Amino acid sequence: MIEMEKLVNFCKSRGFIYSGSEIYGGLANSWDYGPLGVELKNNIKAAWWKKFVTSRLDMVGIDAALIMNPKVWEASGHVATFTDPLVECKQCHERFRADQIDLTKPCGNCGTKESFTEPAAFNMMLKTWLGAKQEVAAVAYLRPETAQAMFVNFANVVRTERMRLPFGIAQSGKAFRNEITPGNFIFRQREFELMEFEYFVSPDQWEKSFGYWLGQMHEWVTECGIDQSKVHEVEIPDGDRAHYSKRTIDLEFDYPFGRKELYGLAYRGDFDLNAHAESSGKELLYTDPETNEKITPHVIEPAFGVDRTFLAVMLSAYHEEEVEGEVRIVMRLPVHLAPVKIAVLPLSKKTELSAVSLALAERLAKRWRTNHHSSQSIGKRYRREDEIGTPFCITIDFDTLGEGEVNLKDTVTVRERDSMKQDRVLIVDLEKYLEARL
Ligand code: GAP
């Protein structure tokens, strides 16, 4: 697998991810997705939404406000318990997560022995103030998870969509956590993106549903092209689970910096609906349409980090191979995730070729993300497209214009990224040819 430093440099130089605020010297652990990164990220989010929301009859989505009433976070338990254990070196005042270092060893920053403070609970929610007054009454939090909006809107969704158990409410969007030790590129950030859903079931069905969603999470991993041999299920023991969870299985991935969490699957029971019902005074019950019995459904929650998906996808797709004595870098991204689907490349810069190829690129761009490049040798241009994972390169040459072999007039060469196999296709048939493959 590619080392992290190499991947970070690769992402920066190819336009996947840049350092955040780079011209000001950056901002530690902040990252900006570039032109290719945003396409890949959007494709991941679109594929997730399609698989788990729009292609299912039992799922609906919402897009809630990022800043919610602070009472939400009191009821959910985040104000009291969404903490990491923090220690500080008494000598240099560097802060660490107590569960990530050996407290019996000297400070990793200044080397002083036995200098750590006692671990204290550090709340990870990022605070802000609403309105013009920076006072306690105006404090609000940037959401640390998207989940709470699904619980808070439970009654709204049941009423307007007439949902019947079992059903799910999904959401994707930004989340914020004041991590003590962010790092490892986009693995642990203070601002990141989540895709998650709350799947409501009758209490006696939770185990069956938990198993089903675990299987679906693995299916998603495969569809993203993430190397399954590097994905492991880890049962989180009592005492280590989040405060709301009765059972959690994490899917961990073998990153170059070690085996760490990729996704989480939690059985949240009726913790959240009960907590919000009690705190708000509103009824958050489900009425069985047949029996009229009122119950509090139980919840299974599959949670997926967008950025960690991006990282695992990139790490799995990156390949180096030798072709004719040269190293070829190729991103073997699944076609539906590739940031650019097609590159149209005129064999030379001659104006007649460029005019035809530009018109073709504009035509194809209406359907698929398309590049058009006319400088450098065709070999170099193929390599550049391989590196960013473009599944198809289309070359326009003098045969296309009818200036070579007569039977090749109005045809182009289509080269496939992984096999490098080339087909000669009539321009009029291109959309049909590509539709079958993209
Ligand atoms: N609602 C459940 C929840 O938020 P979580 O395990 O705390 O669960 C879900 O987070 C997922 O979000 C993780 O599995 C991971 O993919 C991603 N994630 C968590 N913290 C992150 C961070 N600081 N930076 C990037 N991704 C993160």
Side-chain angles (χ1 to χ4, degrees):
M1 187 187 279
I2 180 174
E3 302 103 56
M4 278 312 283
E5 199 186 329
K6 198 166 163 186
L7 181 76
V8 174
N9 288 333
F10 176 82
C11 285
K12 281 184 187 172
S13 64
R14 304 306 190 281
F16 281 95
I17 299 177
Y18 310 122
S19 301
S21 317
E22 197 174 288
I23 62 165
Y24 287 100
L27 173 69
N29 300 298
S30 98
W31 302 98
D32 293 343
Y33 286 80
L36 296 178
V38 70
E39 296 295 340
L40 173 51
K41 198 176 177 196
N42 282 344
N43 291 343
I44 289 171
K45 289 191 282 185
W48 186 88
W49 196 257
K50 185 170 175 206
K51 178 176 179 64
F52 291 117
V53 187
T54 52
S55 69
R56 301 184 60 109
L57 301 180
D58 58 350
M59 200 78 82
V60 290
I62 60 168
D63 183 17
L66 252 142
I67 299 175
M68 304 178 76
N69 189 319
K71 287 182 187 155
V72 168
W73 305 109
E74 280 161 29
S76 70
H78 283 77
V79 171
T81 58
F82 193 59
T83 57
D84 270 342
L86 174 85
V87 288
E88 185 175 305
C89 170
K90 290 179 201 157
Q91 187 65 33
C92 69
H93 302 291
E94 184 73 17
R95 293 179 160 199
F96 302 93
R97 248 177 80 171
D99 56 345
Q100 286 181 345
I101 59 165
D102 184 348
L103 296 173
T104 61
K105 293 214 168 125
C107 167
N109 190 46
C110 68
T112 307
K113 287 183 190 157
E114 294 173 13
S115 73
F116 293 115
T117 56
E118 281 301 306
F122 173 77
N123 195 293
M124 289 202 290
M125 283 200 292
L126 273 157
K127 274 187 194 164
T128 188
W129 288 271
L130 296 183
K133 285 189 187 162
Q134 294 200 350
E135 57 188 22
V136 175
V139 162
Y141 302 98
L142 303 185
R143 66 182 180 197
E145 61 169 11
T146 64
Q148 293 307 319
M150 273 84 94
F151 300 121
V152 169
N153 281 294
F154 172 80
N156 280 338
V157 172
V158 170
R159 191 184 65 248
T160 59
E161 300 302 305
R162 299 170 183 220
M163 301 306 286
R164 299 277 160 91
L165 286 186
F167 71 90
I169 310 178
Q171 183 172 207
S172 85
K174 289 264 178 172
F176 299 83
R177 295 181 190 178
N178 201 2
E179 297 279 359
I180 299 168
T181 49
N184 285 323
F185 194 28
I186 52 173
F187 174 78
R188 193 181 303 285
Q189 302 170 89
R190 295 198 170 107
E191 173 186 342
F192 60 98
E193 262 182 276
L194 269 173
M195 308 179 284
E196 51 185 5
F197 52 87
E198 311 308 316
Y199 198 74
F200 300 94
V201 296
S202 77
D204 60 346
Q205 294 297 309
W206 81 264
E207 263 172 312
K208 195 169 141 224
S209 186
F210 193 90
Y212 169 76
W213 286 114
L214 185 59
Q216 288 293 296
M217 290 173 85
H218 280 291
E219 200 176 283
W220 161 258
V221 163
T222 304
E223 286 163 9
C224 287
I226 295 173
D227 186 348
Q228 273 283 7
S229 71
K230 293 190 166 57
V231 176
H232 313 274
E233 285 179 17
V234 179
E235 181 86 42
I236 308 299
D238 287 349
D240 288 353
R241 288 193 297 268
H243 60 277
Y244 50 72
S245 176
K246 289 190 165 145
R247 186 178 180 197
T248 297
I249 288 183
D250 278 353
L251 291 190
E252 295 191 342
F253 182 74
D254 295 321
Y255 301 93
F257 45 86
R259 184 177 292 184
K260 295 199 184 299
E261 182 180 341
L262 174 65
Y263 302 141
L265 172 65
Y267 168 42
R268 296 179 79 126
D270 54 8
F271 176 87
D272 303 270
L273 286 180
N274 279 344
H276 288 302
E278 197 178 311
S279 172
S280 66
K282 300 284 183 318
E283 188 179 278
L284 297 179
L285 297 171
Y286 173 81
T287 308
D288 187 306
E290 260 91 58
T291 63
N292 269 340
E293 189 197 353
K294 288 188 174 197
I295 60 159
T296 304
H298 283 205
V299 170
I300 309 295
E301 178 196 64
F304 306 71
V306 176
D307 311 81
R308 288 191 195 175
T309 307
F310 190 107
L311 186 55
V313 164
M314 290 293 277
L315 288 165
S316 304
Y318 185 96
H319 285 87
E320 287 183 10
E321 60 190 29
E322 204 179 301
V323 178
E324 292 163 10
E326 277 186 31
V327 176
R328 170 173 101 117
I329 296 172
V330 56
M331 271 288 176
R332 294 191 194 279
L333 291 166
V335 163
H336 69 292
L337 297 186
V340 177
K341 310 295 185 211
I342 303 161
V344 180
L345 313 170
L347 193 64
S348 88
K349 267 186 169 169
K350 285 247 168 77
T351 47
E352 322 90 272
L353 282 182
S354 278
V356 174
S357 72
L358 196 57
L360 178 61
E362 278 169 356
R363 188 177 109 191
L364 296 175
K366 294 198 166 61
R367 299 276 305 274
W368 300 283
R369 192 86 175 95
T370 302
N371 273 347
H372 182 259
H373 293 301
S374 53
S375 24
Q376 293 195 309
S377 74
I378 193 72
K380 280 207 175 121
R381 279 180 280 160
Y382 279 155
R383 292 289 176 268
R384 153 89 192 164
E385 297 302 329
D386 290 344
E387 286 179 9
I388 66 170
T390 307
F392 294 102
C393 286
I394 297 175
T395 312
I396 317 284
D397 56 23
F398 290 100
D399 288 332
T400 313
L401 303 184
E403 293 174 15
E405 284 190 44
V406 178
N407 61 344
L408 294 182
K409 187 172 180 306
D410 296 328
T411 65
V412 291
T413 303
V414 184
R415 172 187 177 274
E416 197 272 332
R417 176 194 71 198
D418 295 342
S419 63
M420 293 185 283
K421 208 173 122 285
Q422 303 197 355
D423 278 343
R424 198 84 199 179
V425 182
L426 271 168
I427 293 183
V428 286
D429 290 341
L430 263 179
E431 270 90 346
K432 212 161 57 178
Y433 179 95
L434 292 165
E435 239 164 47
R437 292 162 177 81
L438 285 171

